[in-house]
Amino acid sequence: MKMAVQKLPKTRLDEFVPGRTRRFRVKTRSRVIGGTFSLINALTRYDIEGRENLIDAVSRARASGRGLITVSNHLSLFDDPIVQSAILGLRNITVETKCWWSTACASNFDPHQPGLRSKVVRMFSEAANMVFFARAYKGCKASDAPRPLADLVRPRLGWKRFEALERRAAELGTDVEGMLRGWKTAREGEEPTSLDQLGIIESCARLAVGDWLQFFPEGGRSRSLSLRPARPGVGKVIYHSPGVEVVPICFYGTQDVLPIGAIVPRPFKRVVVRVGRPIGAAVLDQFRAEPPTPRTFLRVAEFVMAGVGALRPEVLARYMGAEAAAKLIEEEQAEIALAAAEGAKVPSDRPTAPPPPLPADALWACTSVGHRTIGHRT
């Protein structure tokens, strides 16, 4: 495990947190917050398969300077960071060792609202490397940015990443503002959409300068063991990030550690995780030949979510037993078929249609794993 940790990039706080006093405050807070997650993982039993697929992808992204995306199902409020830190073998989670950025729901973690809760959230988010997304189906309105986008993104990225973004824009023959505006879905004169919100633009910028971002394509936690339909936000980010690998992850058991509505985590639970091989950029390039529309973005999101779905049967079998898993999947398929035949609305925790087929090489990439690690305790 020491070799794995040595491969992980470390973040210097002075790259994006100005001021020595503030850096001390952020670092101290992150140790307190991260210690809580480390304790949760120490009291949780992990059954992890394919760990090396993520560690190798992180190493490749770091060596090439390209970004990295991980996508997974979503069951509990803190699936991220406890699952990623368990996969990587992190024993101390801090703002410096947490080498990925979490895409968090703004309605749950928005630090800009008034009141005590927002102050607590602000302390947490400042020390947790987070990018905020407002979910369109929860009232996110069409958004526009009358101010220069560069002025909005600069304080979020920090000086070092913004300089890297300037160099990247120059390589493409434009400036940062032109690069950021080029990622907007609404063209000149069109009504802006929720896909133009700052969190999505920031995500594209982070990937352009080599950051790693974790996404939940379902856009929310599943209330059952089923996968929810993918939403187009992550598809847009992938579309505008050529050269970036996408690593699918599937897990079950985190809903037992922190069920929806619970405040105190439950110790001594078992979490089963499987990490697939990356869906390479070359496989995803097929979508970039299509116009950058919400429909295209949704197809990309459904495609990568199918990679998570390809891992799901074995993870379910390890989590609940082969017979119970087969029965669950059979019931889901029967329910979808019945709803389609009757023209009824499919429940929110069921896909509205079967996931799009993956090419043979992409399916192999998602499901092929190496050494299996059983009963790992972080």
Side-chain angles (χ1 to χ4, degrees), residues 260-283:
I260 293 176
I263 299 177
V264 179
R266 300 176 180 179
F268 312 118
K269 300 297 182 180
R270 177 172 174 264
V271 177
V272 178
V273 184
R274 185 172 183 183
V275 183
R277 291 278 296 277
I279 303 173
V283 177

Side-chain angles (χ1 to χ4, degrees), residues 75-76 252-259 265-267 269-271 319:
L75 299 167
S76 179
Y252 283 100
T254 56
Q255 77 281 2
D256 301 325
V257 177
L258 188 68
R266 300 176 180 179
K269 300 297 182 180
R270 177 172 174 264
V271 177
Y319 172 69

Side-chain angles (χ1 to χ4, degrees), residues 287-346:
F287 294 104
R288 298 188 179 100
E290 302 177 17
T293 64
R295 178 178 175 80
T296 301
F297 302 151
L298 180 59
R299 280 168 37 80
V300 177
E302 290 175 338
F303 182 83
V304 299
M305 196 63 196
V308 177
L311 305 173
R312 182 172 177 252
E314 182 179 332
V315 176
L316 276 175
R318 287 159 51 202
Y319 172 69
M320 60 190 306
E323 185 175 344
K327 183 178 179 180
L328 174 64
I329 294 173
E330 184 180 347
E331 289 175 350
E332 290 174 352
Q333 293 173 341
E335 186 176 356
I336 294 170
L338 180 62
E342 296 180 350
K345 184 178 179 180
V346 179

Side-chain angles (χ1 to χ4, degrees), residues 46-51 53-54 70-75 79 83-84 87 214-218 222 224-228 247-255 271-277 304-319 328-329 332 366-367 369:
Y46 283 91
D47 176 351
I48 302 175
E49 187 173 11
R51 172 186 282 115
N53 293 329
L54 178 56
T70 48
V71 296
S72 70
N73 57 321
H74 196 12
L75 299 167
D79 289 340
V83 172
Q84 282 84 354
I87 294 171
Q214 158 66 24
F215 287 92
F216 300 110
E218 297 164 286
S222 174
S224 68
L225 297 182
S226 300
L227 298 181
R228 301 176 64 174
V247 179
I249 303 171
C250 185
F251 50 82
Y252 283 100
T254 56
Q255 77 281 2
V271 177
V272 178
V273 184
R274 185 172 183 183
V275 183
R277 291 278 296 277
V304 299
M305 196 63 196
V308 177
L311 305 173
R312 182 172 177 252
E314 182 179 332
V315 176
L316 276 175
R318 287 159 51 202
Y319 172 69
L328 174 64
I329 294 173
E332 290 174 352
C366 290
T367 57
V369 293

Side-chain angles (χ1 to χ4, degrees), residues 107-266:
S107 62
N108 289 333
F109 293 99
D110 187 355
H112 304 298
Q113 299 298 321
L116 178 62
R117 181 178 184 275
S118 67
K119 291 181 180 179
V120 175
V121 169
R122 186 156 51 246
M123 290 173 57
F124 173 78
S125 62
E126 187 180 43
N129 295 351
M130 301 174 82
V131 179
F132 297 103
F133 274 61
R135 292 182 283 188
Y137 67 96
K138 281 202 171 184
C140 176
K141 299 178 181 178
S143 58
D144 196 9
R147 292 170 53 191
L149 283 173
D151 290 347
L152 297 173
V153 170
R154 182 184 287 108
R156 290 293 303 154
L157 295 185
W159 69 270
K160 187 169 184 178
R161 284 178 173 82
F162 193 81
E163 286 185 353
L165 190 63
E166 289 178 322
R167 292 192 294 271
R168 178 61 177 153
E171 292 173 1
L172 299 175
T174 184
D175 58 7
V176 171
E177 186 67 23
M179 188 179 191
L180 298 175
R181 293 280 171 183
W183 290 329
K184 295 192 67 177
T185 298
R187 297 297 96 186
E188 190 69 30
E190 295 180 348
E191 183 71 19
T193 74
S194 59
L195 288 171
D196 292 330
Q197 61 180 283
L198 184 60
I200 291 181
I201 303 299
E202 179 187 339
S203 296
C204 294
R206 287 193 175 281
L207 289 164
V209 298
D211 277 341
W212 163 16
L213 275 74
Q214 158 66 24
F215 287 92
F216 300 110
E218 297 164 286
R221 290 166 287 174
S222 174
R223 265 59 177 176
S224 68
L225 297 182
S226 300
L227 298 181
R228 301 176 64 174
R231 299 189 177 276
V234 65
K236 172 174 178 171
V237 175
I238 293 172
Y239 182 96
H240 290 302
S241 304
V244 171
E245 291 184 333
V246 179
V247 179
I249 303 171
C250 185
F251 50 82
Y252 283 100
T254 56
Q255 77 281 2
D256 301 325
V257 177
L258 188 68
I260 293 176
I263 299 177
V264 179
R266 300 176 180 179

